[in-house]
Amino acid sequence: MGQFVITPAAGKRLIARAVAAHPAVREAMRSGNVVIVAGTTNSYVAEELLELIGQRDGFSRRRFFRGITLPPWMETSETGRLPDELGFPCDVVIREGKWSRGLTLFDVVDDLSEGDLIIKGANALDLRRRQVAVLIGHPRGGTIIAALQAAVGRRVSLMIPVGLEKRVDADLMDLSRRLNAPGSMGLRLLPVPGEIITELDAIRILTGAEAEVMAAGGVCGAEGSVWLHVHGDGEKAASELIRSIASEPAFDQQK
């Protein structure tokens, strides 16, 4: 049995590699449409999928997000965005294995159908209930509302990569009811159905081993880290995989 520290940056890379190896993603990449909605975890997903089709050149994780959580002394708008969004690079839209540059989810969502895939991140993760939720700053609900129109209305698959750093203890359905009630202030919260991919799922997908959170926290760049207990068949492969990505440094996506 192994014990490993996973930083948030390493966790994002681990999740991204699992998404790239997922059979449903491979199939959608081959014969359908895949939309990677901008987000910090999805920036790693975009890298991995574009690398898979040999089209990573020209993509940067820098500013691949809309809303973002920053330290209190750094300025963001009421909707959680940067004051200057000139560097936003659009979402990543892959059509039948080719990157269609310069498009967003809103440009293509009405054309998506069963067999296509939207990959969208989340802001809250309840591991016990297997729930995720998205913070809402935009008065029309932002990208998640557009994604749900396709997922619920036309059975477009929705995959949700989300790191263990975003775990919460509350029932997200109950929490969203309070945050979204008339008279409440600040961001809203929307529980979202879809296939969730955490670091725990990623280890199982990539190696067959099982993993669980045994402790958390850290300093000097390890803030937000988790200690994982890895065991079962595939433990050796999991150890090699984790060690191969554990040293990857965090990347400043804000500047």
Side-chain angles (χ1 to χ4, degrees):
M1 294 182 285
Q3 298 177 359
F4 305 93
V5 176
I6 303 289
T7 65
K12 293 175 192 294
R13 179 63 69 195
L14 182 61
I15 291 169
R17 290 191 181 178
V19 170
H22 196 292
V25 177
R26 293 291 183 103
E27 178 59 25
M29 290 273 286
R30 184 183 65 82
S31 59
N33 300 300
V34 176
V35 182
I36 309 166
V37 180
T40 57
T41 300
N42 272 358
S43 68
Y44 290 76
V45 173
E47 278 189 338
E48 293 291 335
L49 294 190
L50 291 172
E51 181 72 27
L52 194 64
I53 59 176
Q55 298 176 46
R56 181 170 166 177
D57 288 349
F59 175 79
S60 172
R61 296 201 306 264
R62 191 177 299 275
R63 293 207 173 194
F64 190 70
F65 55 81
R66 288 179 174 85
I68 189 172
T69 300
L70 294 173
W73 59 86
M74 300 184 73
E75 183 181 1
T76 57
S77 69
E78 290 184 359
T79 61
R81 299 189 179 206
L82 296 179
D84 169 19
E85 291 192 304
L86 295 177
F88 176 62
C90 293
D91 301 313
V92 169
V93 177
I94 300 174
R95 291 170 161 165
E96 296 182 352
K98 295 182 179 179
W99 179 15
S100 296
R101 299 173 186 249
L103 299 176
T104 71
L105 171 65
F106 300 106
D107 295 321
V108 301
V109 68
D110 290 340
D111 299 324
L112 301 178
S113 60
E114 189 170 348
D116 294 331
L117 171 66
I118 297 173
I119 303 175
K120 163 71 180 167
N123 304 104
L125 165 68
D126 178 0
L127 279 174
R128 184 164 64 89
R129 299 177 183 87
R130 197 71 182 175
Q131 296 177 345
V132 294
V134 174
L135 288 172
I136 303 292
H138 194 281
R140 294 188 178 180
T143 55
I144 189 56
I145 295 299
L148 287 175
Q149 289 176 358
V152 178
R154 281 165 273 132
R155 293 190 171 89
V156 173
S157 296
L158 180 59
M159 182 172 286
I160 307 169
V162 56
L164 294 168
E165 61 173 320
K166 296 176 181 177
R167 63 197 181 282
V168 300
D169 293 327
D171 183 324
L172 295 175
M173 295 296 292
D174 184 58
L175 183 58
S176 66
R177 177 184 59 80
R178 297 196 300 276
L179 294 178
N180 300 343
S184 296
M185 303 294 290
L187 298 172
R188 283 75 69 201
L189 189 72
L190 181 64
V192 178
E195 182 172 1
I196 301 167
I197 308 289
T198 70
E199 291 92 333
L200 307 182
D201 302 297
I203 288 171
R204 184 173 61 253
I205 290 169
L206 293 169
T207 70
E210 296 296 325
E212 57 190 335
V213 180
M214 54 178 281
V219 297
C220 299
E223 293 86 350
S225 296
V226 293
W227 277 91
L228 297 186
H229 174 226
V230 180
H231 55 92
D233 294 340
E235 180 191 332
K236 181 178 179 181
S239 175
E240 294 173 354
L241 171 66
I242 292 170
R243 293 184 191 282
S244 74
I245 66 172
S247 60
E248 179 167 334
F251 185 86
D252 187 351
Q253 293 165 300
Q254 187 265 326
K255 293 182 179 178

